[in-house]
């Protein structure tokens, strides 16, 4: 610490406005309940790597094949991150350069397809992701997308539908993985269908990556040729993406990421990914991932006991979709009521939703962030009751204020970081 810029208080002195905003966001995170399933709280070690001088370095290219000098240290950083990613997931190849999950998916499209080619992905309004072929996204604009959904009877992915569509449309790849699907995804089934039509099976485990790494959710690695992910959801790393693949796809993927799509890799984030991968290898991470699912099951059971319906009847993961129609409130209103008592979540469509996406009949809840704070199943039972009370008392300002106090008390018992973030 011999560099003046490294003093923590320097931001406070040089830019009090930004400093103050960070302080306010720190308080918001500290005194509310974060139940957006794609969010989490990274460790201080991850934060430190992200806030390091590695952000200063340009390193276009691959380790030892760069377009800039001075890369000898960052080469080691990237090698370490790749080696850890491969070992954590048991994969043959890793590219840790994608800036985000969306960028990782875009690279796979770029690597495997020409514009106009046919792909299959899950419908956005049934749990899929924008980048799996939504018409408003690059994936839906430049490629011919055939979308599969879930069955109306049980809200599960239907092998017959996936196979029939694949046989009829002959996609170049089939992407599975979701942002609002709580059950196990049958990766072997997707590979089987892909093989039958000569397609590549791609799995996007952005949501499940931490659970997969810990062995508490099925891994696509033995089945799918290419896997994309984020690092910042259940995996609890920095905001970013990465790609795993069988060796035969290495060249095409590397070329698609750079020079196909990106410029210089974010070496500070790659260092933070390496830190997160190492954290995920520790026995404590398995305990954490196991607790995420136990908490999700307890929350889902609690909500069911209060008369809420959960899409597909429960969860096998960190996420659940609550169908709010039984409570006679739509997703948008429910999100706003929960926000008033300090519970952050997002409205979501449910399968076969009669409401438009900006309203939605459901809310999506997740337990990764609360589990990081150390909360357990008894807190989940309390939260289910708080949510029921909030919905029932939505017209009663005084009651909502007292529920807000309860949320604040609960969050106080599980401090987020025992130091201020900067
Ligand atoms: C979150 C998510 C992404 C996108 O990740 P970003 O880092 O926000 O771009 C991609 N795919 C799935 C399935 C996701 O859940």
């Amino acid at each position: 610490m011999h560099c003046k810029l490294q003093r923590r208080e320097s931001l406070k002195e040089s830019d009090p406005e930004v400093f103050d905003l960070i302080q306010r966001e720190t308080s918001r995170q500290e005194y509310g309940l974060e139940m957006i399933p794609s969010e989490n709280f990274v460790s201080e070690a991850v934060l430190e790597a992200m806030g390091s001088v590695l952000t200063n370095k340009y390193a276009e290219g691959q380790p030892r094949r760069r377009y800039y000098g001075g890369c000898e240290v960052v080469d080691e950083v990237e090698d370490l991150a790749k080696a850890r990613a491969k070992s954590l997931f048991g994969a043959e190849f890793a590219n840790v350069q994608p800036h985000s999950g969306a960028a990782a998916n875009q690279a796979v499209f770029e690597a495997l397809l020409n514009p106009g080619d046919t792909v299959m992905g899950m419908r956005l309004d049934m749990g899929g992701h924008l980048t799996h072929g939504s018409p408003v996204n690059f994936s839906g604009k430049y490629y011919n997308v055939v979308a599969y959904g879930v069955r109306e009877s049980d809200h599960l992915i239907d092998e017959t539908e996936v196979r029939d569509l694949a046989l009829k449309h002959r996609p170049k790849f089939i992407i599975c993985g979701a942002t609002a699907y709580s059950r196990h995804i049958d990766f072997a089934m997707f590979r089987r269908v892909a093989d039958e039509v000569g397609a590549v099976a791609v799995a996007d485990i952005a949501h499940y990556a931490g659970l997969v790494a810990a062995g508490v959710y099925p891994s696509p690695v033995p089945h799918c040729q290419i896997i994309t992910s984020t690092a910042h959801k259940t995996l609890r790393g920095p905001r970013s993406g990465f790609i795993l693949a069988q060796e035969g796809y290495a060249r095409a993927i590397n070329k698609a990421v750079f020079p196909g799509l990106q410029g210089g890799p974010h070496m500070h984030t790659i260092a933070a990914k390496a830190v997160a991968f190492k954290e995920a290898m520790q026995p404590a991470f398995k305990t954490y991932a196991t607790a995420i699912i136990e908490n999700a099951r307890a929350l889902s059971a609690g909500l069911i006991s209060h008369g809420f319906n959960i899409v597909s009847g429960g969860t096998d993961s960190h996420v659940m979709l609550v169908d709010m129609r039984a409570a006679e409130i739509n997703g948008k209103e429910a999100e706003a009521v929960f926000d008033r008592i300090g519970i952050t979540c997002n409205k979501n469509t449910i399968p076969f939703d009669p409401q438009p996406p900006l309203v939605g009949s459901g809310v999506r809840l997740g337990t990764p962030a609360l589990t990081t704070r150390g909360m357990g199943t008894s807190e989940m039972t309390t939260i289910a009751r708080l949510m029921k009370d909030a919905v029932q008392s939505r017209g009663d300002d005084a009651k909502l204020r007292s529920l807000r106090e309860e949320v604040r008390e609960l969050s106080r018992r599980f401090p987020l970081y025992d130091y201020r973030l900067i």
Side-chain angles (χ1 to χ4, degrees):
M1 292 289 148
H2 34 261
C3 170
K4 186 165 166 250
L5 285 172
Q6 286 175 337
R7 285 191 308 148
R8 279 196 172 169
E9 63 272 31
S10 65
L11 181 64
K12 186 177 180 178
E13 286 163 10
S14 69
D15 194 335
E17 277 172 290
V18 169
F19 176 84
D20 188 51
L21 289 170
I22 295 174
Q23 294 296 81
R24 272 173 54 201
E25 174 60 11
T26 307
S27 299
R28 192 196 65 81
Q29 292 184 14
E30 179 104 40
Y31 297 116
L33 297 176
E34 183 47 72
M35 301 191 71
I36 295 173
S38 37
E39 292 192 12
N40 212 330
F41 304 116
V42 299
S43 69
E44 294 174 49
V46 167
L47 278 182
E48 195 174 330
M50 271 195 284
S52 71
V53 295
L54 296 179
T55 191
N56 297 332
K57 189 71 200 99
Y58 246 111
E60 282 177 355
Q62 290 292 321
R64 289 165 301 285
R65 285 183 289 117
R66 305 281 195 188
Y67 291 81
Y68 290 86
C71 288
E72 60 278 7
V73 179
V74 293
D75 276 0
E76 289 189 44
V77 170
E78 188 166 344
D79 280 340
L80 192 57
K82 282 161 65 168
R84 286 179 180 173
K86 288 192 280 186
S87 141
L88 181 61
F89 291 96
E92 291 174 9
F93 161 83
N95 184 308
V96 294
Q97 292 190 356
H99 301 325
S100 67
N105 284 340
Q106 196 177 2
V108 174
F109 279 74
E110 172 75 12
L112 298 185
L113 305 176
N114 290 310
D117 282 350
T118 299
V119 285
M120 269 176 66
M122 192 174 189
R123 288 170 59 145
L124 179 65
D125 62 356
M126 294 199 181
H129 192 260
L130 274 167
T131 55
H132 297 190
S134 158
V136 298
N137 182 260
F138 83 91
S139 54
K141 283 186 180 161
Y142 304 124
Y143 303 95
N144 177 39
V145 177
V146 176
Y148 59 88
V150 295
R151 265 193 303 260
E152 192 154 14
S153 57
D154 56 9
H155 299 145
L156 300 182
I157 293 169
D158 181 356
E159 173 167 6
T160 310
E161 185 197 12
V162 172
R163 184 166 177 269
D164 288 351
L165 287 172
L167 287 169
K168 179 156 174 227
H169 297 283
R170 301 263 151 191
K172 287 241 171 101
F173 74 72
I174 304 177
I175 187 162
C176 60
T179 130
Y181 189 76
S182 66
R183 298 302 190 171
H184 288 172
I185 290 172
D186 186 350
F187 298 114
M189 178 277 278
F190 278 98
R191 174 63 190 268
R192 230 175 15 249
V193 172
D195 278 352
E196 208 177 334
V197 300
V200 178
V202 179
D204 174 354
I205 56 166
H207 262 268
Y208 315 104
L211 308 177
V212 171
V216 298
Y217 189 92
S219 171
V221 173
H223 309 290
C224 298
Q225 291 101 324
I226 300 179
I227 291 140
T228 59
S229 186
T230 61
H232 52 274
K233 298 181 182 178
T234 52
L235 191 53
R236 209 163 65 182
R239 181 162 303 283
S240 61
F242 62 97
I243 304 172
L244 307 171
Q246 294 178 355
E247 195 58 55
Y249 297 91
R251 246 182 88 78
I253 288 170
N254 283 344
K255 269 178 60 189
V257 174
F258 174 86
L261 295 164
Q262 294 191 167
H266 296 181
M267 296 314 306
H268 55 308
T269 310
I270 290 175
K273 273 180 253 200
V275 173
F277 294 145
K278 183 172 177 188
E279 288 178 355
M281 289 171 193
Q282 309 310 313
F285 195 83
K286 185 171 175 118
T287 309
Y288 165 63
T290 306
I292 291 177
I293 297 178
E294 279 169 10
N295 281 346
R297 292 210 163 118
L299 180 66
S300 145
L303 290 167
I304 289 170
S305 79
H306 293 303
F308 291 99
N309 290 321
I310 308 292
V311 169
S312 87
T315 178
D316 299 328
S317 64
H318 62 298
V319 60
M320 72 205 70
L321 265 180
V322 191
D323 179 347
M324 301 302 299
R325 288 177 300 180
E328 292 178 352
I329 183 171
N330 65 42
K332 185 179 174 194
E333 291 161 345
E335 178 190 296
V337 170
F338 295 142
D339 197 50
R340 284 193 61 187
I341 69 162
I343 291 180
T344 309
C345 63
N346 65 279
K347 63 177 172 289
N348 216 99
T349 53
I350 55 170
F352 307 96
D353 204 323
Q355 298 279 7
L358 280 174
V359 179
S361 293
V363 294
R364 191 178 65 140
L365 301 175
T367 53
L370 297 183
T371 308
T372 292
R373 295 182 77 149
M375 290 187 190
T377 52
S378 72
E379 284 74 36
M380 297 306 124
T381 306
T382 303
I383 292 167
R385 195 260 306 155
L386 286 164
M387 297 183 99
K388 183 255 309 176
D389 286 350
V391 167
Q392 274 180 358
S393 315
R394 58 188 181 270
D396 181 345
D397 283 350
K399 176 73 181 171
L400 290 177
R401 271 197 301 278
S402 93
L403 293 172
R404 176 72 187 99
E405 248 343 281
E406 265 195 78
V407 165
R408 201 182 294 274
E409 256 332 290
L410 178 58
S411 53
R412 238 192 274 277
R413 284 182 22 232
F414 295 87
L416 182 53
Y417 292 98
D418 46 16
Y419 71 116
R420 305 308 291 173
L421 272 179
I422 50 173

